[in-house]
Amino acid sequence: MQIQFLGAAGHVTGSMYLINTGTTKFLVDAGLFQGTADETKLNSETPDIDFSDLDALILTHAHIDHSGRIPWIVKQGFHGKVYCTHPTKSLCEILLRDSGKIQEAENEWENKKRKRAGLEPIDPLYTEDDAIIALQYFYPVNYSAQVQLSKDVGFEFGNAGHLLGSAFIKLYVKDENTIKTIAFSGDLGNGTSFLEENPDVIESADYLIMESTYGNRTHKNIELRGDRLIDVILSAYKSGGTTLIPSFAVGRTQEILFEIKHYIHTHDNEASERLKKIPIYLDSPLALDATEIYKSYSDKMSDLIQEYGTSPFSLETLTLVNSVEDSIKLNFNQSPKIIISASGMCEAGRIKHHLKHNLWKPNTHVAIVGYQAEDTLGRALLNGATEVVIYDQTIAVKANVHKIDGFSGHADATQLFNWVSHIKNLKKVCVVHGEPESSMIFAKKIETTLGIETHVAKLYETLDL
């Protein structure tokens, strides 16, 4: 059996692995590379692979760095089933269509520049229509259901606790008279989210393909995240200003809404009373759709979420903003308020307009609740930029920018190691989905502490198991 690493090897994004047993060929994940221009170029530079010859694709979860190339591989000729959990299919129905729209918009902008330079136009990686076609191949199954992919390959999903519907994979591959077990961790949660349960455990496996996003770091101040967020909101309120929360539309937005609701329900103090009076605007069509999906799967979420019934994200002061006109009106509303909007790294979407209209105000507070990649507007704000350029206009940064740790959906180094250490009979661990330093440090810890052979995967290499 061979595995080829087509993404998330030496990188955090672009998760895609090709497995060839000799009689069955299939993919695990097909995600977009995200980040720098050089990284995004990799999305259409996959080695010469006949996607029409593949039997299936097994998808760990809906995040675009794991699912975002599915419409592209369908364009390349893939017509097999895309196995995933039911919530993952529902989330992909909105995320992949949105990704298609973004591909079209960015391509239109690129072609305007190419036209001015006298160059021929190029096609987008895929369109929204391509995404709609790709969604026809999705085939959802339940956690723990035994799925027979072919005569020699079966698999089952386990709950990874990272995102609604996220899964790790246990593959069962028949090799002559024996059955080998190969596990893919997917992205693992850290057990601290109010929304998700702790990741399930794997009792035994022969080989493990293991993520290492936070393989060299531990999360800090997790227990203080809610109080810190409320402090920022109340500080803005006291000064008559707006709290801007750039937030990922799927997962993080729902977590922030529930954090506020849970604080109000569990605190009987002055802060809670003030919080009840502050208008909250959820200004992201994608986040609105995602929140409806989360509500529909509330029975699949944590016990705490289920205690709140069918409306875990509703708040008396919450206004759902859908139209562009209503979004624009917010920037002429001078009263204290909270605006939660995408994108989470401030690179696109309505949050950029709100930052443009509010960053120059000293009573504005910006709460950064997620990872900010290099060369993004969010990272520039975190790094203390005194001015930024938004839509070709230079904006002075007079606002108060706060980094609120503890909202990561990823397991940290200690949690990753503990998850691996419970798996018996491991012969080899292939470390993926991390920056090179993070992967190397995590692999070394596994090898020296647990005595298990490790390998840090390189992009496009093929490994025999």
Side-chain angles (χ1 to χ4, degrees), residues 22-186:
T23 57
T24 305
K25 288 191 289 186
F26 59 98
L27 292 173
V28 169
D29 287 348
L32 278 177
F33 285 97
Q34 298 170 300
T36 65
D38 287 340
E39 286 178 305
T40 56
K41 284 180 182 178
L42 295 172
N43 286 317
S44 56
E45 295 180 4
T46 301
D48 188 21
I49 293 170
D50 184 359
F51 288 101
S52 67
D53 192 39
L54 299 182
D55 296 288
L57 186 154
I58 308 175
L59 178 61
T60 59
H61 64 287
H63 278 151
I64 288 296
D65 63 320
H66 291 256
S67 70
R69 270 191 285 179
I70 293 176
W72 180 75
I73 70 169
V74 170
K75 280 181 65 176
Q76 305 305 308
F78 174 81
H79 297 300
K81 288 180 179 178
V82 178
Y83 292 96
C84 62
T85 65
H86 291 271
T88 293
K89 179 179 184 292
S90 296
L91 290 174
C92 280
E93 286 173 352
I94 61 172
L95 281 170
L96 292 182
R97 292 185 62 172
D98 183 70
S99 179
K101 292 177 184 177
I102 292 171
Q103 300 293 331
E104 292 179 70
E106 291 181 348
N107 182 253
E108 182 180 358
W109 179 257
E110 178 65 25
N111 280 338
K112 286 180 180 178
K113 293 192 293 182
R114 292 178 69 86
K115 186 176 182 179
R116 289 194 293 266
L119 300 174
E120 291 295 315
I122 58 175
D123 293 327
L125 191 68
Y126 59 86
T127 65
E128 183 183 8
D129 286 342
D130 293 326
I132 293 171
I133 292 170
L135 288 165
Q136 299 175 34
Y137 296 96
F138 277 61
Y139 189 86
V141 297
N142 294 323
Y143 288 127
S144 301
Q146 301 290 316
V147 181
Q148 198 64 37
L149 198 63
S150 64
K151 289 183 178 181
D152 65 330
V153 179
F155 78 91
E156 64 179 290
F157 285 128
N159 189 351
H162 168 68
L163 176 76
L164 179 65
S166 64
F168 59 76
I169 303 164
K170 282 187 71 176
L171 288 172
Y172 305 100
V173 180
K174 188 175 181 180
D175 181 18
E176 294 180 352
N177 295 322
T178 63
I179 295 179
K180 300 290 178 61
T181 303
I182 300 96
F184 287 79
S185 70

Side-chain angles (χ1 to χ4, degrees), residues 291-325:
T291 302
E292 287 302 309
I293 291 172
Y294 265 73
K295 286 165 61 177
S296 70
Y297 285 105
S298 60
D299 62 323
K300 308 291 186 186
M301 300 168 69
S302 70
D303 291 342
L304 179 60
I305 287 290
Q306 294 179 55
E307 289 177 12
Y308 282 81
T310 57
S311 302
F313 310 109
S314 64
L315 288 151
E316 290 184 8
T317 57
L318 177 63
T319 299
L320 307 179
V321 181
N322 212 326
S323 72
V324 173
E325 293 75 16

